[in-house]
Amino acid sequence: MQTTQIRLAARPVGEPTDDDFAFVTEELPALEDGQVLLRTIYLSLDPYMRGRMSAAKSYAEPVPVGGVMVGQTVCEVVESRSERRAVGDVVLAYTGWQTYAVADARHTRRLDPDAAPVSTALGVLGMPGFTAYAGLLEIGRPQPGETVVVAAATGPVGSAVGQIAQIKGARSVGIAGGAEKVRALTEEFGFDVALDHRSPTFHEDLAAATPDGIDVYFENVGGTVADEVTRRLNRYARIPVCGLVANYNATEAPAGPDRLPGFMARVLTLSLTIRGFIQSEFEATLTESFQRDMTAWVRDGKVRYREDVVEGLVNAPEAFRGLLVGRNFGKLLVKVGE
Amino acid sequence: MQTTQIRLAARPVGEPTDDDFAFVTEELPALEDGQVLLRTIYLSLDPYMRGRMSAAKSYAEPVPVGGVMVGQTVCEVVESRSERRAVGDVVLAYTGWQTYAVADARHTRRLDPDAAPVSTALGVLGMPGFTAYAGLLEIGRPQPGETVVVAAATGPVGSAVGQIAQIKGARSVGIAGGAEKVRALTEEFGFDVALDHRSPTFHEDLAAATPDGIDVYFENVGGTVADEVTRRLNRYARIPVCGLVANYNATEAPAGPDRLPGFMARVLTLSLTIRGFIQSEFEATLTESFQRDMTAWVRDGKVRYREDVVEGLVNAPEAFRGLLVGRNFGKLLVKVGE
């Protein structure tokens, strides 16, 4: 069986270019005991992948140059040498940017297509949804009546953050770029207030939307939005930090002025809590409650989600570039096969 | 009775100058019921006072222009119209930069001169010691075998942080400026390692002193030391932030490059916790255990302290300027009267 792969050809400097990716077709090895042959249906594209393309120290090993780009996938089992998985099973796997792959059956999780669309295992019921759930509830800890602000709010993490905040009795203020996304925040996801960070009046809009200040800022973007938000934080505000996509393509520290001393002064005078996290650190303690709560919330319509599906693996690099500058509208998935 | 006061004459721009302070002598009013007349013995000088001289938003009201400079004091009761305090009592008060003051007896705490030198109520057994205790134990949470780093380590907060860290089984690395202070860190306070931040090899020295990285950085200084330290933080490191004295005289954001994005990237990839605090937020929960633990530790020689006593209220402004640039060596006190 042949697979078509997208490999990391070179470590990108700034925005990844086509030259940083290489398309390779190669023969897969025969299955060994315990393995399954998987056909990719959906590939998830997520901001963290930009970090994996770089050699900088992080919580995970970088993709080696020449290696297949990593990523979560939803796949169909087309051949099995494991009693755990049968041909025809649909599974969650981590087989990366390729059309077929051989995997250890133990590294797959079977999905129930009748319980929820299988694509949700990559979004609202998967890693992005869990990131929102764990970060907001464990670090943000929104209290009834408090104000929670999140940017990239139509994305899979941001949209879940806003809706979970409301379930916990807080006000949710969502920030996005462009009229269509801003409209979706209130009409589709039910945010209390929606703001456009591209608006020339964003500063004033944010002030009007947060008359009592901000108690939780869920940081998944960075950049100038974060700057404006931190100026309105209340004493004892919490900032879970799960992503800084605005900075991921940066090649050097931006020009001054140096904002770090001012930021630390706010940390001090407002008794702020800043906590970086990756969802995996909460897996042992929260996976069970997440699956139970989120499945129920999605089923009951309390948490809605939106998917942005790009057809064909060949379009993954361009879609990924778009993700890094916010061109996606909802959870970005590549439909690799039917 | 006359009192000599130092008042805030103008809000300083940068380092406070003599023109920012005004010496005034005036007649105190007669005592009302419940009040005491206090003669100042010791005035505590602390970095937070620089913040009170500015009008910027903070956790406390600024000193009004024309108002007496605030500060904790140890005083003798020389006249009393309260059953709570007798003439001759030595009390902890908050009467500021002046030789005599009228105060509500309920706003004083009686000290036992036989239990500990009364000056310690302004240092190791007072606000600075409590800042170290609460911030390190509640936020830093050092575990046995972990590495705790603190700067301004001969100061009243830093020296207590290092010694409490050791009591909890952690390694303590102290940073100070100048050979004499560095020597005191190991010889007097028992730090495991002492480093001089003025040394041209500080970068290498810090690396050698922290072979297993840094788990807790107790931030009471800011500036370039913090920069070096944050580069060596371990995953899940904690940074209690109680002071940023290096920045207090700053008049504008420093020139670039902008270090904030790089700092936030470390927060994210290392799952750091940054938590600003002021000791008063822990008073309700920790005062009792602090008094019990710290009194015992000081008595048993497990926590040592050092005082830097300046004679005469007239020298307070110059001593305060020195405090902001680290010229003091131990807890800075002004001996206002015998």
Side-chain angles (χ1 to χ4, degrees), chain A residues 313-337:
Chain A
L313 184 65
V314 67
N315 293 313
E318 179 57 22
F320 181 62
R321 275 193 290 268
L323 176 69
L324 296 176
V325 294
R327 276 201 295 270
N328 60 305
F329 190 173
K331 173 66 192 107
L332 185 58
L333 300 170
V334 179
K335 186 83 179 282
V336 178

Side-chain angles (χ1 to χ4, degrees), chain B residues 62-76:
Chain B
V63 176
V65 172
V68 178
M69 285 288 296
V70 295
Q72 269 196 321
T73 51
V74 167
C75 300
E76 184 187 7

Side-chain angles (χ1 to χ4, degrees), chain B residues 105-162:
Chain B
R106 290 172 302 183
H107 297 161
T108 67
R109 179 159 70 83
R110 185 158 36 186
L111 300 173
D112 178 1
D114 295 330
V118 292
S119 60
T120 58
L122 298 172
V124 67
L125 296 179
M127 190 266 285
F130 187 62
T131 299
Y133 182 91
L136 184 65
L137 299 184
E138 284 295 297
I139 302 170
R141 298 179 179 271
Q143 304 300 309
E146 287 192 333
T147 296
V148 174
V149 173
V150 64
T154 61
V157 177
S159 60
V161 165

Side-chain angles (χ1 to χ4, degrees), chain A residues 211-263:
Chain A
D212 301 324
I214 295 168
D215 302 292
V216 179
Y217 174 51
F218 194 100
E219 172 64 293
N220 61 348
V221 172
T224 55
V225 168
D227 243 25
E228 291 284 352
V229 170
T230 56
R231 283 182 227 285
R232 296 199 55 76
L233 292 172
N234 289 329
R235 191 153 186 221
Y236 300 125
R238 290 79 67 194
I239 307 185
V241 181
C242 81
L244 299 162
V245 64
N247 307 334
Y248 288 175
N249 282 335
T251 53
E252 57 186 17
D258 181 8
R259 295 173 302 157
L260 183 57
F263 179 79

